[in-house]
């Protein structure tokens, strides 16, 4: 089965009144185990890698990104279940472009640390690039702290800003801060 667009997976989940999980991998073994589990239960998923997987000090490892993208795309295309393949949580538009070129059919641009208008502008640019690759984009509003960091109401996503953000950017999905945390 070909990679399934995130937008399609989420629309079916909304109509069917069920949730779809995102499962982050760190290497071939963890991605393969994720895909095998989805196949065992015959359920759609969002699978992929976090941008930190490809980080090197103040830059990123493009060769590793390309290799993981091609490996993941090949594995997922051979699966009988619906899977969207995402590069998650990158604030680097070039990295996201390379990810889409190499096979990810979804990317997540994290501009949550930016002022709203700058986040809108950069997210919209990623969405425009994604159209060339027929890829979906997830954006983020609000600060999601890591484990051990305090959760503050000022970090929460404003529903009013979320409505504006989605309308102005054309994203397929939105990550929000509602008291949730990153585990690492």
């Amino acid at each position: 089965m070909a990679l399934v667009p995130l937008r399609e997976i989420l629309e079916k989940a909304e109509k069917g009144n069920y949730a779809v999980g995102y499962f982050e991998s760190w290497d071939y073994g963890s991605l393969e185990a994720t895909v095998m589990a989805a196949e065992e239960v015959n359920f759609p998923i969002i699978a992929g890698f976090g941008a930190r997987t490809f980080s090197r000090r103040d830059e990123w490892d493009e060769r590793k990104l390309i290799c993981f993208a091609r490996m993941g795309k090949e594995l997922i295309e051979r699966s009988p279940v619906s899977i969207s393949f995402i590069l998650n949580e990158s604030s680097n538009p070039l990295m996201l472009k390379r990810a889409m070129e190499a096979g990810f059919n979804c990317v997540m641009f994290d501009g949550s640390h930016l002022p709203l208008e700058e986040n809108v502008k950069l997210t919209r640019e990623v969405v425009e690039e994604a159209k060339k690759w027929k890829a979906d984009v997830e954006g983020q509003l609000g600060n999601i702290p890591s484990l051990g960091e305090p959760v503050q109401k000022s970090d929460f996503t404003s529903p009013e800003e979320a409505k504006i953000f989605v309308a102005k950017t054309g994203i397929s999905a939105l990550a929000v801060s509602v008291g949730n945390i990153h585990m690492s």
Side-chain angles (χ1 to χ4, degrees), residues 4 21 23 25 31 52 54 58-59 65 84 87 89 94 98 103 122 126 136 140 145 147 149 162-164 168:
V4 177
F23 302 94
S25 300
L31 182 62
R52 285 185 286 175
F54 311 105
D58 293 334
E59 54 186 67
L65 173 71
S84 184
L87 175 61
E89 297 178 328
L94 178 60
R98 295 286 192 263
L122 291 174
V126 173
D136 286 310
Q140 182 173 324
L147 186 63
E149 294 177 353
K163 183 177 180 180
I164 293 166
K168 287 186 174 183

Side-chain angles (χ1 to χ4, degrees), residues 1 21 29 37 54 61 76 81 88 95-96 109 142 160 166 174 184:
M1 173 177 276
F54 311 105
D61 187 336
I76 291 167
V81 298
N88 198 33
M95 177 189 247
L96 297 173
F109 176 70
E160 295 80 20
V166 170
L174 178 64
S184 59

Side-chain angles (χ1 to χ4, degrees), residues 58-97:
D58 293 334
E59 54 186 67
W60 54 280
D61 187 336
E62 185 170 355
R63 184 170 74 176
K64 185 177 179 183
L65 173 71
I66 301 301
C67 289
F68 276 46
R70 290 180 180 161
M71 166 197 66
K73 183 179 179 191
E74 179 71 20
L75 177 65
I76 291 167
E77 284 184 333
R78 293 176 181 270
S79 177
V81 298
S82 298
I83 302 174
S84 184
F85 185 39
I86 188 170
L87 175 61
N88 198 33
E89 297 178 328
S90 176
S91 56
N92 184 321
L94 178 60
M95 177 189 247
L96 297 173
K97 178 182 178 185

